[in-house]
Amino acid sequence: MIDWQERKIYWRDTKWQMVATLVPYFIAILALPIYGEVLNGKSVFGIPLGYFLLGHAILTVAAVVVAGFVNRQDAIDDWHGAKEDT
Amino acid sequence: MATIRRSRFVNPRLGIFFSIFTSVFVAAVCGLMIGELMGLGSRMVGGLMFGVTVLFVGLIGAASTNNSEADFYVGGRRSPSFFAGLSLTIAILGGIGTVAIPGIVLRQGMDAFVLVLGWISGLVLAAVVIAPFLRKFGAFTLPGYLGLRFQSRTIRALSAVIAAAACLLIAAAELKLAAQIGTLMTGQPMIGLLVILTLFAGGLGVLGGVRGASWMGAAFAIVATLAICVPATIVSLMISNLPLPQMTHGALFRASAWLERGQVLPEKSARLFEASFSGTGLMPLDTRFLDMYHAVGYGAMPFGILVIASGIAALPMLVQRAGTTPGVYDVRKAFGWAVLITGFLLLTIMSLAGFMRGYIVQQVVGVAGDQLPLWFQSLEQSGAMATSSKTRTVALGDIMVQRDSVVFALPVAAGMMETLVRLAQAGGLAAALAAMCAHIVALGTIIADDLIAGFRAHSIAPQKRVAVGRIGIGIGAVSVAGLATVVQDPLTAALAGITIAAGALFPVLALSIIWKRLTRAGAFAGLVAGLATTVALMTLSSLGQITMSGLMAAAVGGPVSFLIAGAVTRISAHPSRTILEYVRDMRVPGGEAVYDRVLRQERRGKPPAEM
């Protein structure tokens, strides 16, 4: 079980992990629609670029971001001895 | 201290059970195809498909009947990550996501991304900020968590009212949509189907609670995924020889865009904070697909995404589902699966809309009004589409489409068998029923556990708690049915529920996890301020007193709630040591769930913590 002093460090790492996961993701989510229409002039795999980035790319990035979060948070749990099965 | 060992709890045969369910459902669909070839009528195929969907999943729900407190309220805390994620996906998407969103994509083009990105971002937000911590806390309901976190029955009751309102609106929207689809499939009157589906969802919710809703959700998700993917893949193969609708539909948009450029359409530009979505009636295709900001303003796009994301993340149903996994690591994985499956389904759903738009632009636009393709004439007869031009050449703006029929119209346009048209309808029905069951169970447990039993000084015995839960779900189901009879547009009702959750619940919920010093007074003030601001702005918007859309109410209510909660916390006394200990404990995955420990101590005779 995680000791008292380690809890503070664990929570600090967890908070940074949250920030590092969410901030870039939400910047992309909120900024991309502004340029969506303009980007549609170009295409990738025959798909209008704006549509591709807002649809395919963001939905893929969302899955990758959460998968990365799960793995990194598990590593943080492991590092600080906060895992459930230990 | 007791340690959660997650691998011990999970049923290793679940994969086999759901494989058998999938095989039986596919066999039934194949049987219906053979029946259709042997002369079964359209109405009969629709009725049988409705019966197969409801009966097969209903059997799983009935088999999940239980009398255990842990099973009834948190599914026994033993759902494996994948199935929890699958169930969560379809409960979040619901009929709104699978039926209404494709219609918005078809009619309003890229402005629909406010919904698509909001939905997926809500799951991302919940996966990172909300679900793991609430799973460790272990409370059965969202108000139960807030009540214990702040040791306040007032906060528990207030948040229960807000959460119940959100659940009620979304469940009623899903029930209405399910009844509409049921009418299409069986030809029975809407009111009869409302009663039947309420009895179905309410009855199975009463028997199985969260466990039943969870397993039925997984089964409904399998049906909906098949129903969405099969027509999309067939059309993709027909058009491009590639079975990848998610990739092939985009090229169709590009080809259609060339044809759309030749059309004379009115110039439209949305106001800064306008977010107006198509209604349920027949409405013209009067915008180009690749144009943006004609229905959703420049300000409404980012704020709308944030509102929907925070509303989804704070849904009481979602919080309850987080409690069904064996541990914190599993809930993170479950949300990971949910994001992956939701992303895949949203892309496939957008491909359905893309293919339909392609069929319309390439086969109907430019054709004489009296020489329309047979599929379009068939859809005209069913009321799904229409054209205002009867003899002259049809322009894009002459074509009118009913929002909620797009998914079912595609198999007709592609000339597929009647069984596949009915399969698409069964998918919409399954998604709507899954979401409805999930929200009714969440509503019922909130009524029972937080509003009926929540005012007692001591917790009630497990068996009695299950009995009260059954009563609560019964009351919830009847309330949902009552509201569904007056719901005009399911999408508007569901967005109202999400807006209330975003404006009133999310700020306090997020702060209660991130900021351990958030006090009881701060949380109460935040809830009141968020609720009052959001509801007031929604009311003014619906009365036409302000130009802002109802969805944007939470874009003001949410920040107000954050600010008030923070300001009041700064001037109020520090939280008690018990509260600080709960928060510290909640943040660490290992060890026993906070709520389980408190309940165990209380039942052993230790006096409950001050509330």
Side-chain angles (χ1 to χ4, degrees):
Chain A
M1 188 62 197
I2 187 167
D3 65 43
W4 189 253
Q5 280 303 312
E6 196 73 11
R7 280 191 182 197
K8 263 192 173 176
I9 308 167
Y10 170 77
W11 178 242
R12 188 194 62 201
D13 288 355
T14 301
K15 262 194 303 191
W16 278 112
Q17 170 66 18
M18 279 187 206
V19 171
T21 304
L22 290 179
V23 171
Y25 172 76
F26 272 98
I27 287 174
I29 284 275
L30 300 178
L32 266 178
I34 299 169
Y35 306 103
E37 201 172 342
V38 180
L39 291 170
N40 278 335
K42 294 175 181 171
S43 68
V44 55
F45 305 122
I47 304 168
L49 184 59
Y51 180 83
F52 179 81
L53 289 175
L54 284 171
H56 302 69
I58 293 280
L59 294 177
T60 309
V61 164
V64 171
V65 157
V66 176
F69 165 77
V70 173
N71 277 332
R72 287 197 304 265
Q73 189 61 47
D74 195 41
I76 291 172
D77 293 351
D78 205 14
W79 179 258
H80 293 284
K83 280 188 93 165
E84 289 160 283
D85 281 348
T86 55
Chain B
M1 186 178 284
T3 304
I4 301 164
R5 293 197 181 277
R6 40 180 200 267
S7 55
R8 213 177 48 185
F9 299 119
V10 173
N11 183 349
R13 295 202 183 109
L14 268 178
I16 298 170
F17 293 155
F18 280 106
S19 300
I20 292 170
F21 169 81
T22 310
S23 308
V24 171
F25 183 77
V26 170
V29 172
C30 292
L32 280 176
M33 282 179 166
I34 294 167
E36 188 187 336
L37 291 173
M38 291 172 73
L40 267 184
S42 163
R43 187 56 54 82
M44 181 63 87
V45 173
L48 286 172
M49 187 66 83
F50 179 88
V52 161
T53 307
V54 170
L55 183 73
F56 285 6
V57 180
L59 284 175
I60 290 180
S64 306
T65 305
N66 63 81
N67 290 310
S68 143
E69 181 189 35
D71 279 344
F72 193 83
Y73 282 96
V74 280
R77 297 207 197 282
R78 53 173 189 249
S79 301
S81 309
F82 177 73
F83 289 103
L86 193 64
S87 180
L88 189 62
T89 298
I90 209 66
I92 287 286
L93 272 181
I96 301 295
T98 50
V99 175
I101 287 185
I104 301 279
V105 173
L106 177 82
R107 293 213 309 216
Q108 298 183 313
M110 287 183 60
D111 277 354
F113 274 114
V114 68
L115 298 175
V116 173
L117 298 183
W119 242 262
I120 195 83
S121 302
L123 277 173
V124 173
L125 198 58
V128 176
V129 182
I130 309 285
F133 304 104
L134 292 196
R135 171 60 192 86
K136 176 59 199 301
F137 201 90
F140 291 174
T141 61
L142 176 62
Y145 157 70
L146 290 173
L148 188 56
R149 159 70 175 82
F150 295 105
Q151 297 196 330
S152 163
R153 283 198 201 99
T154 314
I155 288 180
R156 187 177 187 179
L158 178 61
S159 58
V161 171
I162 301 168
C167 286
L168 189 62
L169 282 163
I170 301 173
E174 296 290 355
L175 174 57
K176 178 80 178 193
L177 203 53
Q180 282 174 356
I181 299 168
T183 305
L184 281 177
M185 293 177 85
T186 61
Q188 297 304 309
M190 174 83 77
I191 193 74
L193 279 156
L194 275 175
V195 172
I196 290 169
L197 294 175
T198 306
L199 287 174
F200 171 80
L204 292 173
V206 163
L207 290 175
V210 174
R211 185 169 179 233
S214 193
W215 295 138
M216 281 197 295
F220 275 134
I222 291 168
V223 173
T225 306
L226 282 173
I228 291 166
C229 291
V230 168
T233 308
I234 291 173
V235 176
S236 177
L237 276 168
M238 286 163 67
I239 288 174
S240 66
N241 294 327
L242 281 173
L244 293 169
Q246 299 82 5
M247 293 306 290
T248 53
H249 76 282
L252 202 64
F253 282 146
R254 200 151 180 260
S256 303
W258 285 101
L259 296 170
E260 286 180 19
R261 273 183 207 166
Q263 298 291 310
V264 180
L265 295 170
E267 282 299 318
K268 279 187 174 181
S269 183
R271 292 188 306 272
L272 188 63
F273 291 108
E274 181 186 354
S276 53
F277 300 107
S278 303
T280 49
L282 284 165
M283 291 180 82
L285 290 175
D286 54 1
T287 51
R288 291 179 185 86
F289 184 85
L290 295 180
D291 289 353
M292 286 183 80
Y293 301 111
H294 48 77
V296 179
Y298 277 96
M301 181 64 84
F303 284 113
I305 291 170
L306 289 176
V307 166
I308 294 171
S310 51
I312 295 271
L315 283 180
M317 172 276 294
L318 186 140
V319 171
Q320 198 172 40
R321 287 301 172 85
T324 62
T325 54
V328 175
Y329 179 65
D330 302 84
V331 85
R332 289 186 200 133
K333 277 207 304 183
F335 275 75
W337 279 116
V339 170
L340 184 69
I341 302 167
T342 305
F344 172 77
L345 286 180
L346 281 171
L347 262 184
T348 314
I349 285 163
M350 288 195 294
S351 77
L352 292 174
F355 289 136
M356 194 66 235
R357 181 108 183 177
Y359 273 111
I360 290 172
V361 172
Q362 294 178 12
Q363 295 188 14
V364 182
V365 175
V367 175
D370 52 359
Q371 291 176 347
L372 292 169
L374 285 174
W375 63 263
F376 192 86
Q377 292 176 33
S378 164
L379 290 171
E380 256 187 327
Q381 281 173 2
S382 67
M385 289 184 191
T387 170
S388 57
S389 167
K390 297 299 173 198
T391 50
R392 64 184 168 81
T393 304
V394 177
L396 188 64
D398 296 332
I399 299 166
M400 288 178 284
V401 181
Q402 199 188 39
R403 186 192 68 199
D404 297 342
S405 64
V406 169
V407 174
F408 323 134
L410 179 68
V412 177
M416 290 182 202
M417 290 178 77
E418 184 66 24
T419 307
L420 292 178
V421 178
R422 300 303 187 177
L423 177 66
Q425 291 173 346
L429 176 76
L433 285 177
M436 183 181 109
C437 285
H439 288 288
I440 283 181
V441 168
L443 173 65
T445 49
I446 287 168
I447 292 172
D449 215 43
D450 301 310
L451 292 175
I452 297 176
F455 289 99
R456 291 169 57 101
H458 297 273
S459 66
I460 53 178
Q463 287 305 313
K464 203 172 171 186
R465 197 175 187 185
V466 172
V468 176
R470 293 191 205 284
I471 294 167
I473 292 174
I475 295 170
V478 173
S479 319
V480 166
L483 185 62
T485 55
V486 295
V487 166
Q488 296 294 319
D489 180 359
L491 179 67
T492 308
L495 285 179
I498 289 172
T499 307
I500 289 172
L505 283 178
F506 180 77
V508 170
L509 179 60
L511 282 177
S512 72
I513 294 164
I514 294 165
W515 195 22
K516 72 173 181 242
R517 297 216 178 276
L518 180 67
T519 61
R520 190 183 302 172
F524 181 77
L527 284 173
V528 171
L531 179 67
T533 313
T534 307
V535 172
L537 290 174
M538 283 170 77
T539 310
L540 289 174
S541 170
S542 66
L543 293 173
Q545 299 295 312
I546 50 173
T547 53
M548 192 171 72
S549 299
L551 185 66
M552 291 296 104
V556 180
V560 165
S561 178
F562 270 114
L563 286 174
I564 298 285
V568 173
T569 296
R570 286 284 174 206
I571 57 169
S572 53
H574 280 256
S576 67
R577 281 187 64 176
T578 315
I579 289 182
L580 292 176
E581 187 49 41
Y582 285 165
V583 180
R584 286 193 192 107
D585 207 358
M586 174 175 74
R587 290 171 173 179
V588 180
E592 190 180 19
V594 176
Y595 182 79
D596 292 357
R597 192 181 67 231
V598 171
L599 194 67
R600 185 167 46 78
Q601 287 172 346
E602 206 180 304
R603 285 186 177 153
R604 279 184 185 170
K606 195 180 167 186
E610 180 211 340
M611 282 183 85

